[in-house]
Amino acid sequence: GVAQTLGLAEFSRVLMGFGSAFAFVGMLYIACHGLPHRHLSLLIGIGNSAGMLGAVLGEGPLSIAIEKFGWREVTISAGIFGLFLGLIVFILFRFAHTKEKKHTTRADTFSVVLKNLKKVCTNVQTWIIACVATGLYATTTAFAGLWCIPFLQSVHGFSKEEAGFASSMIFVGWIVGGPLIGLISSHLGKIKSVMIICAVGGLISLTPVIYMPAMNAFVAFTLLFFVGFFSSAELLGFRYAVEINPIFARGSALAFTNFAVMIAGAILQPLVGYLLEEKWYTVKIHEVPVYTTGDYLFALSIFPLSFIFAIVMALFLKSRPEQAK
């Protein structure tokens, strides 16, 4: 919020990502160790839905707030709220763990972490489920997180506010789909089948958004909602990762899966930009590059392909994962 140079802004973004990484993994760890395992998919879905509320606020409502108050003021306000939230979490967990006694040294802990991580990384099914989760999450992290708004403005003629609210429908779909798909998966006990069906659903929902010309707001809102709804099956990947790895390595399995998913986002966001520039004919208005519909269709084709990638990789999952020892 106060950065005056690109370097400081980039460094601050790194700190934001580093801090945020602990939120989801921490929630997953608590759900796995402190709550009934039979409800794990549902609990992860509920926890993720709470987190997605922030993403919803970060699209349309944020655009309005920035327009009214300015981006620096809004960003600083969000930072202050983060400090307040961090203080609450610190106090709650401090009281929750006052009676615990720690008997391990830092060296012991580090060696155990390496041992657990090795166990997780040598399990082929861990890599496969990480690929499936990555394919399902790619559209959310790279399309909804960055490219959806400029795409809807340039190709479908949406205003900035309309595009922002349309993009937020993907996160609304996550809020609804996370707990519901988790509940369905827990009831059926078939993670593989549910993930394949949802990947197909995500592909069917996203394809018209990218390739259909002259789409109105209602259709876009509806389809993007279902893109988010079906993409939320990515959360099942964390339960699968837990079930195919030893109990003592649950934390490492969750962290590895989350790491793979986040790496995909870090790669895909700039990759789409690179693909856009590959097709770009150097047209600028007021020194701002102008991309054609063809440029966007070429670059954004990576997102339907990510759902296809998830479908193919899911075929190699075990129908009933067995707990490793």
Side-chain angles (χ1 to χ4, degrees):
V2 300
Q4 299 294 331
T5 64
L6 180 61
L8 180 58
E10 290 177 334
F11 177 69
S12 300
R13 290 282 287 180
V14 171
L15 292 181
M16 288 168 63
F18 183 83
S20 300
F22 293 90
F24 187 62
V25 175
M27 182 274 293
L28 291 173
Y29 188 85
I30 293 172
C32 288
H33 287 79
L35 298 167
H37 185 72
R38 64 182 181 277
H39 300 311
L40 183 58
S41 297
L42 175 61
L43 293 168
I44 293 175
I46 293 173
N48 186 74
S49 293
M52 284 293 172
L53 287 173
V56 172
L57 295 175
E59 298 291 338
L62 183 64
S63 298
I64 295 175
I66 290 174
E67 191 74 25
K68 186 173 182 179
F69 302 107
W71 72 269
R72 289 187 183 276
E73 289 75 10
V74 171
T75 305
I76 292 171
S77 298
I80 293 173
F81 176 75
L83 289 173
F84 176 72
L85 185 62
L87 181 62
I88 293 176
V89 173
F90 174 76
I91 293 173
L92 288 176
F93 279 87
R94 184 184 179 190
F95 285 125
H97 296 284
T98 49
K99 294 183 179 179
E100 291 187 3
K101 294 182 179 179
K102 297 182 179 180
H103 301 285
T104 57
T105 64
R106 182 175 297 178
D108 291 336
T109 302
F110 185 69
S111 64
V112 169
V113 168
L114 289 179
K115 180 182 177 181
N116 292 349
L117 190 59
K118 181 180 178 181
K119 187 73 176 180
V120 169
C121 291
T122 53
N123 188 337
V124 176
Q125 285 287 302
T126 302
W127 290 89
I128 296 175
I129 193 60
C131 289
V132 177
T134 296
L136 284 167
Y137 192 63
T139 300
T140 301
T141 185
F143 183 60
L146 181 61
W147 292 108
C148 185
I149 292 177
F151 166 73
L152 293 175
Q153 288 180 276
S154 300
V155 176
H156 294 299
F158 285 22
S159 68
K160 186 176 182 180
E161 288 73 22
E162 284 179 328
F165 279 104
S167 179
S168 70
M169 291 305 296
I170 294 180
F171 300 111
V172 174
W174 271 80
I175 291 172
V176 177
L180 186 58
I181 291 177
L183 188 63
I184 293 172
S185 173
S186 296
H187 179 71
L188 297 178
K190 296 181 178 180
I191 296 178
K192 175 181 177 178
S193 300
V194 173
M195 294 187 83
I196 292 176
I197 292 171
C198 287
V200 172
L203 176 63
I204 294 172
S205 302
L206 180 64
T207 301
V209 175
I210 295 179
Y211 300 109
M212 182 185 293
M215 179 174 293
N216 63 49
F218 176 77
V219 174
F221 275 50
T222 303
L223 288 174
L224 290 172
F225 169 84
F226 282 108
V227 169
F229 180 89
F230 289 119
S231 295
S232 67
E234 177 259 351
L235 298 172
L236 298 179
F238 293 100
R239 175 174 179 176
Y240 190 95
V242 166
E243 292 187 352
I244 61 171
N245 284 289
I247 294 176
F248 60 80
R250 282 178 175 177
S252 298
L254 293 171
F256 177 85
T257 306
N258 191 61
F259 170 78
V261 170
M262 291 299 106
I263 283 291
I267 294 173
L268 285 176
Q269 285 195 358
L271 177 60
V272 171
Y274 171 78
L275 293 175
L276 274 173
E277 292 197 348
E278 279 294 297
K279 295 284 288 184
W280 179 49
Y281 291 101
T282 66
V283 178
K284 291 185 178 182
I285 297 180
H286 303 301
E287 298 302 315
V288 177
V290 177
Y291 301 110
T292 66
T293 298
D295 297 337
Y296 274 108
L297 295 184
F298 172 74
L300 298 186
S301 293
I302 197 169
F303 297 118
L305 289 174
S306 69
F307 280 117
I308 295 174
F309 174 70
I311 295 168
V312 173
M313 294 304 299
L315 296 175
F316 296 96
L317 294 174
K318 295 180 179 179
S319 298
R320 292 188 177 277
E322 299 176 358
Q323 191 92 52
K325 297 181 180 180

